Amino acid sequence: MYRSHNNGSLRASDINTEVTLSGWVQKSRNKGFMIWVDLRDRYGITQLIFDEERTPKNMMEQARTLGREFVIQVTGTVIERSSKNPNLPTGDVEILVSKLTILNKALTPPFTIEDETDGGEDVRMKYRYLDIRRNPVKNSLIFRHKVAMEVRKYLSNQDFIEVETPYLIKSTPEGARDFVVPSRMNQGQFYALPQSPQTFKQLLMVGGMDKYFQIVKCFRDEDLRADRQPEFTQIDCEMAFVEQEDILNVFEGLTRHLLKEVNGVEIEKFPRMLYDDAMRRYGNDKPDIRFGMEFGELNDVAQHKEFNVFNNAELVVGIAVPGGNSYTRKEIDQLIDWVRRPQVGALGMVYARCNDDGSYKSSVDKFYDQDDLAKWAEVTGAKKGDLICVLSGDTNKVRAQLSALRMELATRLGLRDPKVFAPLWVIDFPLLELDEETGHYHAMHHPFTSPKPGQLELLATDPGAVKANAYDLVLNGNEIGGGSIRIHDKKTQALMFDYLGFTPEEAKAQFGFLMDAFQYGAPPHGGLAFGLDRLVAILGGQETIRDFIAFPKNNSGRDVMIDAPAAIDEEQLQELNLKLRK
Amino acid sequence: MYRSHNNGSLRASDINTEVTLSGWVQKSRNKGFMIWVDLRDRYGITQLIFDEERTPKNMMEQARTLGREFVIQVTGTVIERSSKNPNLPTGDVEILVSKLTILNKALTPPFTIEDETDGGEDVRMKYRYLDIRRNPVKNSLIFRHKVAMEVRKYLSNQDFIEVETPYLIKSTPEGARDFVVPSRMNQGQFYALPQSPQTFKQLLMVGGMDKYFQIVKCFRDEDLRADRQPEFTQIDCEMAFVEQEDILNVFEGLTRHLLKEVNGVEIEKFPRMLYDDAMRRYGNDKPDIRFGMEFGELNDVAQHKEFNVFNNAELVVGIAVPGGNSYTRKEIDQLIDWVRRPQVGALGMVYARCNDDGSYKSSVDKFYDQDDLAKWAEVTGAKKGDLICVLSGDTNKVRAQLSALRMELATRLGLRDPKVFAPLWVIDFPLLELDEETGHYHAMHHPFTSPKPGQLELLATDPGAVKANAYDLVLNGNEIGGGSIRIHDKKTQALMFDYLGFTPEEAKAQFGFLMDAFQYGAPPHGGLAFGLDRLVAILGGQETIRDFIAFPKNNSGRDVMIDAPAAIDEEQLQELNLKLRK
């Protein structure tokens, strides 16, 4: 037996008992006649003491050799500490060691195993097993486990059944790029790893499973943007005999449960916002509503003057930055530079200071008088002491630009408090999205999403206007979940594939099994999927997902710890009937 | 809202309430003036009634069109049934329908949606979504969910943390064959899908995670034997600072919990058996101990007579078949044919009848007298009325053959009661296994298994004799779990790789990250993995795993429903820098 207790468990009530502990040497203080060692494990830290009076000489010698991260086992007596540490749950006691065994030595770790480490991202990832010893990473993984358990408990109590769907499925070129898996037993053929279990969960609804969920890995072979992973985890859910309202209620309940159990935050009813309103008011389909700074559309009050930049713009839109009048000219110039960075892409920014005396001072005073600017302030909700920032251009672009600015300013102003949770349903998403490169429409959510009743006809005349029974759950400016009511009849599904440019043959080859299934009694159904990595990070008050994933990949899709991917043997390639191109 | 209740919930206490139900038409009985429809969903069946007196004429017409598996929604009043059905929880009531909506029509299903279906395996798999509507499959999937939930609850309560390990890892040619995934972003390189998260869970122990579990898909590209799947699910577990005893206790606790919660069976203490004893007594490392028929080794009492078949054999071994003396000569001849089938491979079988008068009659009376045969009876434990079956030959082969015969006879005799649960730990497995084809030893469990203390030295002189801290959990003759205490120091691990024929370069290329990790303070650790598919099937009283998997693959690794694997586009191959060989 390696231990009688863990290193987080001993208290004053244990004094005088003999215990055996195991763990890592966090640090050791050697005062010559006395040595203290902090012994660490997942559960905490317990202080060990060796001293010349009470410790045999050879054990003192051995204790002096203990380096950081050595793995040791000790037996000893729990005694009262002379100087207690109120910051440590075990801080009232220490162990007078009577037996010391070095279980494994350790090289000096390449970075310190402390909450604030001196290790950079790259070295931490290469030695991720050491990084995981650090509290911030360890606690993030434990937190993730807790969230996942609460999800399972909640859904299971609501009669959801977790069903495992297959990982080796079929490639469908539509949508994002699949990872493929060559089949040895069926040469020349490939499996694909699922981008999501979408069609399988729909088949489970056709199969009468009624309420399904699964916490499941999904795969996308995309060029990785920052903070994206080629493999990621979804809480995938589907329900039969439901309308949008039923789904929103169930998953609002789940999210409310998580906020309460995991964060101790109670939120009554989640607000809902139409997609069109979200775009108009925040320039974004996942608005962060922890703070205001809503968009004010200024076309009516800023166009038809002499300022042609605005006159030629499809949209002139501004936000009021609280207290922004205190910015120096230099700071404002830096803001202008910020929106002109290629990542944001604005051509420039107009601003108006709202002075404390009620007057305005703008960068376009030549074109706009005080009355004009007062209207700007009214539309953007700017108050004395604020700064109005105005962008103009094509509606879609300028909204994205101003949204980026809004988020940046809110971050700078400390308005994005990670302890505040502001969930929001965004509903009535468009069914289709115009691909500006090809000029074709494609499914905004996926080709299985049903248009709103009666809107199918619009497809022929005004495809961009067709709304879908599709919804996203947004938390603090992040999409944490999204879903839709699905098509459940073969005719509509065939129409949709046709509209999206599938030939009937392609539709049959790729999704024939689903359309067949719809002929054998498919119930109305719909669902939602949460991105677990993101959800956990946000609940954990973090912006990046990486430390909530035990072994993440870097932006090139590499695992730098195990050094994957890697070349494989020629023999393996031969068995798979494959050759590398030159 | 599609329903106010589900189809399993209405009782006599609901009489006179108006309800809305949705579901599938299980069947319909049309008596002309009256139509009864059984409406089915996951939760049960509720009877609907339409009659000429109370139902509007056009609805009667519509009700007559309802075919099997139509999806309908009805509103109506709960009324008392005139002839109650005590076999149905809802059997006291029926619904007098006031509103009928056909939500979706259905083609006639290709097989009946009944507990006993007329559909063969192939058609059931092609239309698996219909097969899942059948109670046996549906209930198996719900049962699986329940088992998985109980596993998670139990382990989580014991401070285990579920950590997700990556699916895109590195190929290691050692062991079974990997499925590989070509990387587009790292051309010419491949990920592999994990055969198990073995190295990652060990790294989590090095990382101080202390107690880890994960219910996780694993992948093996093997030529499929019956009832094996290329993707399968493990309950994967690992613990730090443990000895074998700790692990056996924890996972015995888990299994006991499952037997109690899921099967209502309480089992106090699981017996333990040495691997060597299991092989000697049952010819098998996963003995079914629900029944006796233990092996009796007959070398001492059957050799050194005139019968050269036995004299030349390495092992002469028999079992007593209870009541087997009642077999006719023809039946015994059929048994002999059975053991001579290529799948079993015995050359022949000697038998001795134990007559009710205490005399014996054997197939080798020429060589053995009554006293000899009495000794056979004593050694095999045969009683009056039994039949002694004796095989001989090379020890390993003859044990496997007699074990097969023992299991076959037990099945025929009804001794393998699926409601009886007989768990068993088999411990002290050999570290190495001789590959008879190559003459090389390889790791019996895997190369990370530690030899028993002090046995490492035996590797040089008697490798086959080295025992490991390795153990299997056996349930009713099936291995449901297995594991070991791992090597946790670099030197031993390097020695092991060397012994297994890895060059230092190969060991470093494939497992360098693990050996590096062992240098930075690796704790003693060990673990175990359960095969969830098999575990669930056995707890569910079934021999085959297929109906406990929602969408299984066939023996060629194909999903016949979605028709995967399949060819992929030339464009996809090009992006991956791959070419098919001719």
Side-chain angles (χ1 to χ4, degrees):
Chain A
M1 196 199 55
Y2 279 101
R3 59 188 173 193
S4 61
H5 295 73
N6 67 46
N7 290 317
S9 60
L10 294 173
R11 299 289 182 274
S13 56
D14 297 302
I15 284 169
N16 289 329
T17 55
E18 187 176 87
V19 299
T20 299
L21 301 177
S22 291
W24 286 263
V25 173
Q26 175 72 27
K27 66 177 179 200
S28 135
R29 277 169 302 150
N30 184 350
K31 294 259 178 190
F33 60 98
M34 230 176 225
I35 302 166
W36 291 273
V37 170
D38 277 358
L39 188 65
R40 186 197 70 229
D41 63 14
R42 191 184 103 198
Y43 312 94
I45 283 180
T46 301
Q47 181 167 292
L48 313 179
I49 181 166
F50 304 83
D51 74 38
E52 280 186 344
E53 277 178 34
R54 294 175 289 183
T55 305
K57 199 166 169 174
N58 59 348
M59 200 190 293
M60 277 307 274
E61 287 309 311
Q62 202 187 9
R64 284 194 184 95
T65 69
L66 297 177
R68 278 199 287 142
E69 302 305 317
F70 273 39
V71 183
I72 64 172
Q73 181 188 34
V74 296
T75 298
T77 309
V78 183
I79 59 174
E80 189 174 2
R81 270 210 218 182
S82 47
S83 67
K84 300 195 171 43
N85 180 349
N87 299 319
L88 216 57
T90 62
D92 287 348
V93 299
E94 59 192 0
I95 311 298
L96 179 64
V97 177
S98 59
K99 191 171 170 218
L100 166 64
T101 309
I102 296 175
L103 297 173
N104 217 344
K105 293 186 179 182
L107 298 180
T108 305
F111 51 87
T112 55
I113 311 297
E114 304 279 356
D115 292 5
E116 300 290 331
T117 181
D118 58 356
E121 176 88 0
D122 289 351
V123 67
R124 285 176 47 209
M125 288 302 148
K126 182 165 165 59
Y127 298 91
R128 183 64 162 177
Y129 45 87
L130 298 179
D131 201 27
I132 289 172
R133 290 187 195 160
R134 297 172 51 242
N135 286 320
V137 182
K138 178 193 81 179
N139 290 338
S140 295
L141 296 178
I142 294 175
F143 184 79
R144 182 186 180 111
H145 166 65
K146 191 175 170 190
V147 172
M149 279 300 292
E150 288 299 331
V151 169
R152 286 192 161 100
K153 274 190 216 164
Y154 185 87
L155 292 176
S156 194
N157 284 338
Q158 302 260 336
D159 281 336
F160 281 78
I161 303 296
E162 185 162 18
V163 180
E164 294 177 53
T165 52
Y167 279 84
L168 297 172
I169 65 167
K170 190 157 72 168
S171 187
T172 54
E174 203 272 338
R177 210 182 279 104
D178 287 322
F179 282 106
V180 297
V181 182
S183 167
R184 181 184 53 85
M185 291 175 78
N186 304 270
Q187 297 229 326
Q189 300 191 335
F190 294 74
Y191 302 99
L193 299 178
Q195 296 183 31
S196 90
Q198 181 63 33
T199 50
F200 288 96
K201 70 176 173 178
Q202 293 192 240
L203 292 174
L204 286 172
M205 294 304 103
V206 177
M209 201 41 70
D210 205 72
K211 294 179 179 180
Y212 145 91
F213 84 103
Q214 188 183 190
I215 299 186
V216 62
K217 274 279 176 76
C218 301
F219 304 85
R220 261 176 225 178
D221 185 10
E222 289 172 334
D223 296 324
L224 296 175
R225 284 180 276 161
D227 213 30
R228 287 271 190 142
Q229 291 282 319
E231 51 178 306
F232 55 97
T233 306
Q234 281 189 358
I235 309 168
D236 192 52
C237 309
E238 196 81 2
M239 303 171 76
F241 299 113
V242 287
E243 292 160 347
Q244 174 170 303
E245 188 63 27
D246 301 304
I247 298 201
L248 299 195
N249 287 335
V250 167
F251 295 102
E252 184 166 321
L254 169 63
T255 310
R256 199 182 289 121
H257 175 81
L258 292 179
L259 285 166
K260 183 159 172 236
E261 292 299 316
V262 174
N263 296 92
V265 171
E266 299 210 31
I267 294 178
E268 262 312 295
K269 184 83 192 145
F270 294 4
R272 297 181 185 183
M273 194 181 290
L274 298 178
Y275 170 88
D276 286 347
D277 288 340
M279 295 308 289
R280 192 171 44 76
R281 292 168 57 188
Y282 300 94
N284 198 310
D285 61 3
K286 42 181 195 285
D288 189 338
I289 58 167
R290 280 176 295 183
F291 58 96
M293 296 171 70
E294 283 193 34
F295 286 17
E297 298 197 344
L298 299 169
N299 289 32
D300 289 350
V301 297
Q303 287 183 328
H304 314 297
K305 302 274 168 175
E306 309 285 293
F307 188 47
N308 279 331
V309 173
F310 282 1
N311 290 345
N312 296 332
E314 191 182 358
L315 178 67
V316 181
V317 60
I319 51 173
V321 185
N325 191 26
S326 65
Y327 292 0
T328 62
R329 176 62 203 252
K330 197 175 156 200
E331 285 172 317
I332 293 179
D333 281 347
Q334 282 168 348
L335 269 191
I336 294 175
D337 287 344
W338 192 91
V339 298
R340 293 177 67 174
R341 296 183 320 150
Q343 300 94 314
V344 182
L347 294 175
M349 183 181 93
V350 165
Y351 65 89
R353 293 175 175 280
C354 307
N355 295 320
D356 288 338
D357 63 5
S359 69
Y360 300 94
K361 176 86 190 83
S362 84
S363 59
V364 285
D365 278 352
K366 204 164 119 192
F367 305 107
Y368 299 95
D369 61 20
Q370 291 289 313
D371 284 351
D372 292 330
L373 297 174
K375 284 181 195 148
W376 293 18
E378 192 189 327
V379 173
T380 59
K383 296 187 180 53
K384 288 173 188 171
D386 290 356
L387 177 76
I388 303 172
C389 297
V390 182
L391 301 181
S392 62
D394 291 345
T395 300
N396 290 343
K397 283 186 187 158
V398 78
R399 281 178 171 169
Q401 292 157 3
L402 192 62
S403 172
L405 178 63
R406 175 178 176 268
M407 295 298 272
E408 172 67 16
L409 287 167
T411 303
R412 294 188 191 181
L413 291 166
L415 300 175
R416 305 192 66 201
D417 182 348
K419 302 252 186 263
V420 172
F421 294 95
L424 170 73
W425 285 108
V426 177
I427 60 174
D428 289 8
F429 269 73
L431 182 68
L432 303 167
E433 191 172 39
L434 186 64
D435 182 331
E436 304 211 336
E437 274 179 39
T438 64
H440 290 299
Y441 281 94
H442 58 78
M444 191 152 186
H445 195 58
H446 53 49
F448 314 108
T449 298
S450 71
K452 285 203 170 274
Q455 300 214 341
L456 197 59
E457 294 66 34
L458 270 177
L459 268 185
T461 54
D462 189 3
V466 180
K467 290 288 191 281
N469 280 317
Y471 32 81
D472 276 358
L473 182 54
V474 174
L475 185 58
N476 295 2
N478 293 276
E479 178 207 327
I480 57 164
S484 64
I485 300 296
R486 326 299 184 186
I487 297 166
H488 68 279
D489 67 295
K490 182 172 180 171
K491 205 174 129 202
T492 310
Q493 189 65 67
L495 250 175
M496 187 60 57
F497 282 132
D498 180 46
Y499 189 82
L500 296 170
F502 287 71
T503 66
E505 293 70 33
E506 285 167 346
K508 189 172 159 50
Q510 289 174 36
F511 299 109
F513 60 95
L514 185 67
M515 292 198 287
D516 284 351
F518 286 169
Q519 296 185 289
Y520 288 100
H525 62 285
L528 180 138
F530 289 88
L532 181 65
D533 307 296
R534 180 77 47 203
L535 173 65
V536 169
I538 295 169
L539 293 177
Q542 304 285 323
E543 288 279 318
T544 60
I545 62 177
R546 208 163 277 189
D547 277 348
F548 292 85
I549 299 172
F551 301 101
K553 293 191 172 54
N554 72 10
N555 283 347
S556 315
R558 295 199 69 81
D559 182 326
V560 296
M561 179 185 70
I562 64 169
D563 195 25
I568 59 173
D569 287 356
E570 174 60 23
E571 198 184 321
Q572 279 176 287
L573 281 172
Q574 275 182 23
E575 279 192 325
L576 297 170
N577 197 38
L578 289 178
K579 243 206 282 231
L580 298 181
R581 291 171 199 252
K582 270 295 105 1
Chain B
M1 197 199 56
Y2 279 103
R3 58 189 174 193
S4 60
H5 295 74
N6 68 47
N7 291 316
S9 61
L10 294 172
R11 298 289 182 274
S13 56
D14 297 302
I15 283 169
N16 288 333
T17 55
E18 188 175 84
V19 297
T20 299
L21 301 177
S22 290
W24 286 264
V25 173
Q26 174 72 28
K27 65 178 183 201
S28 134
R29 277 169 300 149
N30 183 350
K31 294 260 179 190
F33 62 97
M34 229 172 226
I35 302 167
W36 289 275
V37 170
D38 277 358
L39 188 66
R40 186 197 70 231
D41 63 15
R42 191 185 105 198
Y43 312 92
I45 282 179
T46 300
Q47 181 167 293
L48 313 177
I49 181 167
F50 304 83
D51 74 36
E52 278 186 345
E53 276 179 33
R54 293 175 290 181
T55 305
K57 197 163 173 178
N58 58 348
M59 199 189 297
M60 276 308 272
E61 285 309 311
Q62 201 187 10
R64 283 193 184 98
T65 69
L66 296 177
R68 277 199 289 142
E69 301 305 317
F70 272 41
V71 183
I72 63 172
Q73 180 188 35
V74 296
T75 297
T77 309
V78 183
I79 59 174
E80 189 174 3
R81 269 210 219 183
S82 47
S83 67
K84 302 195 170 44
N85 181 348
N87 299 320
L88 216 57
T90 62
D92 287 350
V93 300
E94 59 193 359
I95 311 298
L96 180 64
V97 177
S98 59
K99 190 170 169 217
L100 167 64
T101 310
I102 296 176
L103 298 172
N104 217 342
K105 293 187 179 184
L107 298 179
T108 305
F111 50 86
T112 55
I113 311 297
E114 305 277 357
D115 291 5
E116 300 289 331
T117 182
D118 56 357
E121 177 87 1
D122 290 351
V123 67
R124 285 177 46 210
M125 288 302 148
K126 184 165 165 56
Y127 298 91
R128 184 64 162 177
Y129 45 85
L130 299 179
D131 201 27
I132 290 172
R133 290 186 193 161
R134 297 172 50 241
N135 286 320
V137 182
K138 178 193 82 179
N139 291 336
S140 296
L141 295 178
I142 295 174
F143 184 79
R144 182 185 181 110
H145 166 66
K146 190 173 171 193
V147 172
M149 279 299 292
E150 288 299 332
V151 168
R152 287 193 161 99
K153 274 190 218 164
Y154 186 88
L155 291 177
S156 194
N157 285 338
Q158 304 260 332
D159 282 335
F160 282 78
I161 303 296
E162 184 162 19
V163 180
E164 294 177 52
T165 53
Y167 278 85
L168 296 173
I169 64 167
K170 190 157 74 168
S171 188
T172 54
E174 202 272 341
R177 210 183 279 105
D178 287 322
F179 282 105
V180 296
V181 182
S183 167
R184 181 183 54 86
M185 292 176 76
N186 303 272
Q187 296 229 326
Q189 300 190 336
F190 293 74
Y191 302 99
L193 300 177
Q195 296 182 31
S196 89
Q198 181 64 32
T199 50
F200 289 96
K201 69 177 174 177
Q202 293 191 241
L203 291 174
L204 287 171
M205 294 305 102
V206 177
M209 203 39 73
D210 206 71
K211 295 179 179 181
Y212 145 91
F213 83 102
Q214 187 184 189
I215 299 186
V216 61
K217 273 278 175 77
C218 301
F219 304 86
R220 263 176 223 177
D221 185 12
E222 288 172 333
D223 296 323
L224 297 174
R225 285 180 274 163
D227 212 30
R228 287 272 189 141
Q229 292 281 319
E231 52 177 305
F232 55 97
T233 306
Q234 280 189 359
I235 309 168
D236 192 51
C237 308
E238 197 81 0
M239 301 172 76
F241 300 112
V242 288
E243 292 161 345
Q244 174 170 304
E245 189 63 26
D246 302 304
I247 297 201
L248 300 194
N249 287 335
V250 167
F251 295 101
E252 184 165 321
L254 169 63
T255 311
R256 199 183 289 121
H257 174 80
L258 293 178
L259 284 165
K260 183 161 172 232
E261 290 300 316
V262 174
N263 296 92
V265 172
E266 300 210 30
I267 294 177
E268 262 314 294
K269 185 83 192 142
F270 295 5
R272 297 180 185 183
M273 194 180 291
L274 298 177
Y275 170 88
D276 286 347
D277 288 341
M279 294 307 289
R280 192 172 44 75
R281 291 167 57 186
Y282 299 96
N284 197 310
D285 61 3
K286 42 180 196 284
D288 189 340
I289 58 167
R290 280 176 295 184
F291 58 95
M293 295 171 72
E294 281 192 37
F295 286 18
E297 298 197 345
L298 299 169
N299 290 30
D300 288 349
V301 298
Q303 288 183 328
H304 313 299
K305 302 276 167 172
E306 309 284 294
F307 189 47
N308 280 330
V309 172
F310 282 2
N311 290 345
N312 297 332
E314 191 183 359
L315 179 67
V316 182
V317 59
I319 51 172
V321 185
N325 189 27
S326 65
Y327 291 0
T328 62
R329 175 61 203 253
K330 196 175 157 198
E331 285 172 318
I332 294 178
D333 282 345
Q334 282 167 348
L335 271 191
I336 295 174
D337 288 343
W338 191 90
V339 298
R340 294 178 66 176
R341 297 182 321 149
Q343 299 94 315
V344 182
L347 292 175
M349 183 181 93
V350 165
Y351 65 89
R353 293 175 174 280
C354 307
N355 295 322
D356 288 338
D357 62 5
S359 70
Y360 301 94
K361 176 84 190 84
S362 85
S363 58
V364 285
D365 277 352
K366 205 164 118 194
F367 305 106
Y368 299 95
D369 62 21
Q370 292 290 311
D371 284 350
D372 292 329
L373 297 174
K375 285 181 195 146
W376 293 18
E378 194 189 328
V379 172
T380 59
K383 297 187 179 53
K384 289 174 188 172
D386 289 356
L387 178 76
I388 303 172
C389 297
V390 182
L391 301 181
S392 62
D394 290 345
T395 300
N396 290 343
K397 283 187 187 157
V398 76
R399 280 178 171 168
Q401 291 156 3
L402 191 62
S403 172
L405 178 64
R406 175 176 175 270
M407 294 297 273
E408 172 68 17
L409 286 167
T411 303
R412 293 188 192 180
L413 290 165
L415 299 175
R416 306 192 66 200
D417 182 349
K419 302 252 186 266
V420 172
F421 294 95
L424 170 73
W425 286 107
V426 177
I427 60 174
D428 288 8
F429 269 74
L431 182 68
L432 303 167
E433 192 172 40
L434 186 65
D435 183 331
E436 305 210 337
E437 274 179 38
T438 64
H440 291 299
Y441 283 93
H442 57 78
M444 191 151 184
H445 195 57
H446 53 51
F448 315 108
T449 298
S450 71
K452 284 202 171 276
Q455 300 215 339
L456 198 59
E457 294 66 34
L458 269 177
L459 269 185
T461 54
D462 189 3
V466 180
K467 291 288 192 281
N469 280 317
Y471 32 81
D472 276 357
L473 182 53
V474 174
L475 185 58
N476 295 1
N478 293 277
E479 179 206 327
I480 57 165
S484 64
I485 300 295
R486 326 299 184 185
I487 296 167
H488 68 280
D489 67 294
K490 182 173 181 173
K491 205 176 126 201
T492 309
Q493 189 66 69
L495 251 176
M496 187 61 55
F497 282 133
D498 180 47
Y499 191 84
L500 295 171
F502 287 72
T503 66
E505 292 71 33
E506 284 168 348
K508 189 172 160 50
Q510 289 174 37
F511 298 109
F513 60 96
L514 185 67
M515 292 198 288
D516 284 351
F518 286 169
Q519 296 185 289
Y520 288 100
H525 61 285
L528 180 139
F530 289 87
L532 181 65
D533 307 298
R534 178 78 48 200
L535 174 66
V536 169
I538 294 169
L539 293 177
Q542 304 284 323
E543 289 279 318
T544 60
I545 62 176
R546 206 161 279 189
D547 278 349
F548 292 85
I549 299 172
F551 300 102
K553 294 193 171 52
N554 72 11
N555 283 347
S556 315
R558 294 199 70 82
D559 181 326
V560 296
M561 179 185 70
I562 65 170
D563 195 25
I568 60 174
D569 286 357
E570 175 58 23
E571 198 185 323
Q572 279 176 288
L573 281 173
Q574 275 182 23
E575 278 193 324
L576 297 170
N577 197 39
L578 288 178
K579 246 206 283 252
L580 298 182
R581 289 170 200 253
K582 271 295 98 17

